Amino acid sequence: MNIDTLITQLKVAYAYLLILSTLFLVISPQGARNLYTKDMIEEFFLKEPMKPLDKRRIIVFHCEFSSKRGPTMLDHLRNKDRAIHAIAYPALFYPELYILDGGYKAFYEHDKVSEMGISQKGISQA
């Protein structure tokens, strides 16, 4: 997901947006759920899967640059979700999983982010 798309999602009310940080706990931004191991991902998402909503549920993974941990955790969740739904393909608990292009660093350096008043101390979640 590119930064402009994420900013748009932050502004709309028709989507439930969960920003998922895979940064190690000591450097995680406020406002993002912090899950940085495969066990944490499974516990949070698959032990008791989230109930369907009347609106879209968008889950955005990120790490500092979205080059390693974020994509790895997204792939892990997607693969587990597909395995659970192997018989019911293409059904999934979490069909909308995205990586934040450029990661946390690029997000906070984007001009529109500062225009929205979002600081590095917190991310608004719709």
Side-chain angles (χ1 to χ4, degrees):
M1 175 176 283
N2 71 37
I3 295 168
D4 289 320
T5 303
L6 177 59
I7 290 168
T8 299
Q9 294 303 322
L10 287 169
K11 291 179 179 179
V12 298
Y14 69 87
Y16 171 80
L17 180 67
L18 173 62
I19 299 173
L20 184 69
S21 171
T22 59
L23 294 164
F24 294 115
L25 187 59
V26 294
I27 57 172
S28 178
Q30 294 177 351
R33 174 65 98 165
N34 188 261
L35 305 172
Y36 51 90
T37 69
K38 291 177 180 179
D39 288 340
M40 292 169 91
I41 294 288
E42 289 181 30
E43 176 75 21
F44 183 78
F45 287 105
L46 300 173
K47 185 175 181 183
E48 291 184 33
M50 295 177 186
K51 298 193 184 328
L53 300 173
D54 291 339
K55 53 188 175 179
R56 296 169 58 196
R57 176 181 285 123
I58 298 170
I59 301 170
V60 181
F61 286 73
H62 77 86
C63 54
E64 186 173 7
F65 301 102
S66 291
S67 60
K68 179 65 178 159
R69 285 184 308 274
T72 298
M73 295 302 130
L74 182 146
D75 288 345
H76 181 72
L77 177 58
R78 173 63 74 224
N79 290 336
K80 290 289 186 175
D81 199 359
R82 283 184 177 153
I84 291 167
H85 290 92
I87 296 174
Y89 181 84
L92 295 169
F93 290 129
Y94 310 104
E96 290 198 69
L97 302 179
Y98 301 95
I99 288 290
L100 179 59
D101 187 36
Y104 169 79
K105 182 176 180 350
F107 180 75
Y108 284 107
E109 290 175 349
H110 195 281
D111 294 338
K112 289 183 182 175
V113 172
S114 59
E115 290 172 13
M116 289 177 62
I118 299 174
S119 72
Q120 290 191 16
K121 295 182 179 177
I123 300 173
S124 298
Q125 296 184 34

